[in-house]
């Protein structure tokens, strides 16, 4: 019996140990499962952090490359700006040196201090032309001229005006306007030689009024007629006989010619009437001349009686 009881107790102890081991195994399995879950969570967090780190590293690399390119661009811009500043500095330096030389040579290079004969020779060389200067609104007559001397100083401008408008021959269109006035009226104080083209649309009274201004310095006048001008609503040459003209004292040469391809009797008569008006101040027809001569002869006879 002792043996049986001892065996029974050993079996009970073994079962208790077995239960204890089973419980420990279950607890170990639970601990293993929790550890595996925790490990998987940690692995996921680690992978996420690694991905974030790699993304940050790539962004930093891109930023470094961009900063490197921007720095290179900034450096190139600064170099070009430095070159531009150096060029501007050299230009300013040359201007300062040139200004100093001008100040040193001002007395020797000032044209206003040249003798009047030398100034006149220089201005004639620059401003006087061999051919007549066309003054018209037509484009084919336009020619660019360097008239910068008119904007230097008051003295040179006055002398240049006198030579340019006084020594050149101007072929003027009476219908051309300069700031609202005719060219002849605008520069009557300087013009000395003009050629005027007259046609049926030309206003003869306005033309004569511009020529006979008080400040007129005109010396030679050439009128070319291509058509009988309209006067007082009529285009007959006889109507031009009523024109009156006060010849300027400076006017020495008067020419009236026909520029038409065919010379008609009306054009010829208009030329002769206009020439007499310009030369004598008025026109007297043959009948008026005969009447005047008859009156003079009768007056002489009366005086004799």
């Amino acid at each position: 019996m002792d043996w049986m009881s001892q065996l029974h107790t050993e079996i009970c102890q073994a079962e208790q140990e077995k239960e204890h081991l089973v419980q420990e195994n279950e607890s170990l399995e639970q601990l293993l499962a929790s550890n595996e879950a925790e490990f998987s969570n940690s692995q996921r967090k680690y992978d996420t952090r690694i991905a974030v780190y790699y993304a940050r590293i790539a962004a930093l690399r891109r930023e470094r490359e961009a900063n490197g390119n921007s720095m290179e661009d900034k450096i190139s811009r600064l170099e070009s700006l430095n070159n531009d500043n150096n060029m501007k500095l050299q230009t300013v330096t040359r201007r300062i040196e040139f200004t100093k030389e001008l100040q040193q040579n001002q007395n020797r290079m000032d044209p206003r201090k040249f003798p009047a004969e030398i100034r006149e020779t220089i201005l004639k060389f620059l401003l006087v032309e061999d051919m007549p200067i066309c003054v018209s609104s037509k484009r084919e007559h336009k020619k660019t001229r360097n008239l910068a001397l008119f904007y230097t100083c008051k003295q040179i401008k006055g002398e240049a005006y006198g030579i340019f408008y006084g020594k050149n021959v101007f072929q003027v269109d009476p219908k051309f306007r300069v700031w609202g006035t005719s060219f002849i009226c605008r520069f009557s104080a300087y013009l000395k030689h003009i050629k005027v083209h007259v046609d049926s649309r030309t206003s003869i009274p306005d033309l004569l009024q511009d020529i006979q201004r008080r400040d007129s310095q005109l010396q030679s006048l050439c009128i070319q007629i291509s058509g009988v001008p309209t006067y007082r609503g009529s285009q007959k040459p006889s109507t031009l006989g009523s024109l009156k003209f006060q010849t300027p004292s400076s006017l020495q040469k008067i020419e009236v010619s026909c520029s038409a391809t065919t010379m008609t009797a009306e054009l010829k008569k208009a030329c002769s009437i206009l020439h007499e008006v310009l030369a004598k101040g008025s026109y007297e027809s043959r009948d008026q001349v005969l009447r005047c001569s008859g009156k003079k002869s009768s007056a002489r006879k009366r005086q004799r009686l």
Side-chain angles (χ1 to χ4, degrees):
M1 291 297 293
D2 293 333
W3 176 80
M4 290 293 292
S5 59
Q6 186 178 359
L7 181 62
H8 181 71
T9 53
E10 288 179 359
I11 290 171
C12 290
Q13 290 178 358
E15 288 179 357
Q16 289 178 358
E17 288 179 359
K18 182 180 178 181
E19 291 177 358
H20 182 69
L21 289 173
V22 169
Q23 290 178 358
E24 286 184 356
N25 189 15
E26 290 177 356
S27 63
L28 288 173
E29 288 179 355
Q30 291 177 359
L31 181 62
L32 180 62
S34 64
N35 288 333
E36 287 179 354
E38 186 177 357
F39 175 76
S40 62
N41 291 330
S42 300
Q43 185 69 30
R44 285 195 297 270
K45 290 181 180 179
Y46 175 77
D47 294 338
T48 305
R49 289 181 180 178
I50 291 296
V52 171
Y53 289 154
Y54 279 127
R56 287 184 180 178
I57 290 170
L60 289 173
R61 286 178 179 175
R62 289 193 298 270
E63 186 177 358
R64 185 179 64 183
E65 291 177 357
N67 290 332
N69 294 330
S70 63
M71 287 298 294
E72 291 179 357
D73 294 338
K74 289 180 180 179
I75 291 171
S76 61
R77 290 177 184 175
L78 289 174
E79 289 178 352
S80 62
L81 184 61
N82 188 20
N83 294 330
D84 294 339
N85 290 332
N86 289 331
M87 293 177 63
K88 289 181 180 179
L89 181 61
Q90 292 176 1
T91 304
V92 171
T93 304
R94 287 196 297 268
R95 286 181 179 177
I96 292 172
E97 293 176 355
F98 182 69
T99 305
K100 289 181 179 179
E101 291 180 359
L102 284 179
Q103 290 177 354
Q104 292 175 359
N105 301 326
Q106 185 175 7
N107 295 329
R108 291 180 292 176
M109 297 179 62
D110 191 356
R112 295 174 297 178
K113 297 184 179 180
F114 290 172
E117 296 81 3
I118 296 178
R119 286 202 308 272
E120 184 178 358
T121 303
I122 294 172
L123 292 175
K124 284 181 180 179
F125 177 77
L126 294 174
L127 300 175
V128 177
E129 299 187 10
D130 298 331
M131 300 297 293
I133 299 175
C134 294
V135 180
S136 174
S137 58
K138 296 181 180 180
R139 291 185 177 180
E140 59 268 17
H141 292 161
K142 289 186 178 180
K143 178 183 176 182
T144 56
R145 293 179 176 84
N146 188 4
L147 302 178
L149 288 171
F150 293 169
Y151 305 97
T152 52
C153 64
K154 189 174 182 180
Q155 178 184 351
I156 300 297
K157 178 182 178 180
E159 295 177 358
Y161 261 50
I163 290 176
F164 180 73
Y165 293 106
K167 300 295 182 182
N168 287 311
V169 179
F170 289 88
Q171 190 169 353
V172 184
D173 182 5
K175 297 182 289 296
F176 181 70
R177 291 288 183 269
V178 180
W179 296 304
T181 58
S182 66
F183 178 81
I184 299 174
C185 179
R186 183 77 181 180
F187 301 102
S188 60
Y190 302 99
L191 291 172
K192 292 184 179 180
H193 311 281
I194 61 173
K195 292 182 178 181
V196 184
H197 177 74
V198 175
D199 56 13
S200 59
R201 296 174 297 174
T202 304
S203 176
I204 288 293
D206 294 340
L207 176 61
L208 297 183
Q209 186 177 0
D210 293 339
I211 295 173
Q212 65 183 3
R213 289 176 60 88
R214 292 182 180 179
D215 57 349
S216 176
Q217 300 294 325
L218 199 61
Q219 295 180 0
S220 65
L221 172 64
C222 178
I223 295 181
Q224 298 174 344
I225 300 178
S226 62
V228 179
T230 304
Y231 178 58
R232 291 183 177 178
S234 176
Q235 204 173 353
K236 295 181 180 180
S238 58
T239 57
L240 300 176
S242 60
L243 289 170
K244 301 295 180 181
F245 179 70
Q246 186 176 357
T247 306
S249 59
S250 60
L251 187 58
Q252 301 174 359
K253 184 179 179 181
I254 299 173
E255 292 183 7
V256 180
S257 61
C258 177
S259 61
T261 55
T262 57
M263 171 69 80
T264 61
E266 291 183 349
L267 280 176
K268 188 175 181 180
K269 187 175 181 180
C271 289
S272 62
I273 292 174
L274 192 57
H275 185 275
E276 187 171 347
V277 169
L278 293 173
K280 298 180 180 180
S282 62
Y283 173 72
E284 293 182 359
S285 62
R286 291 182 179 180
D287 296 337
Q288 291 177 350
V289 172
L290 292 175
R291 289 174 186 174
C292 291
S293 61
K295 289 180 180 180
K296 289 180 181 179
S297 61
S298 61
R300 289 175 183 174
K301 288 180 181 180
R302 289 174 185 175
Q303 288 178 359
R304 289 176 184 176
L305 294 174

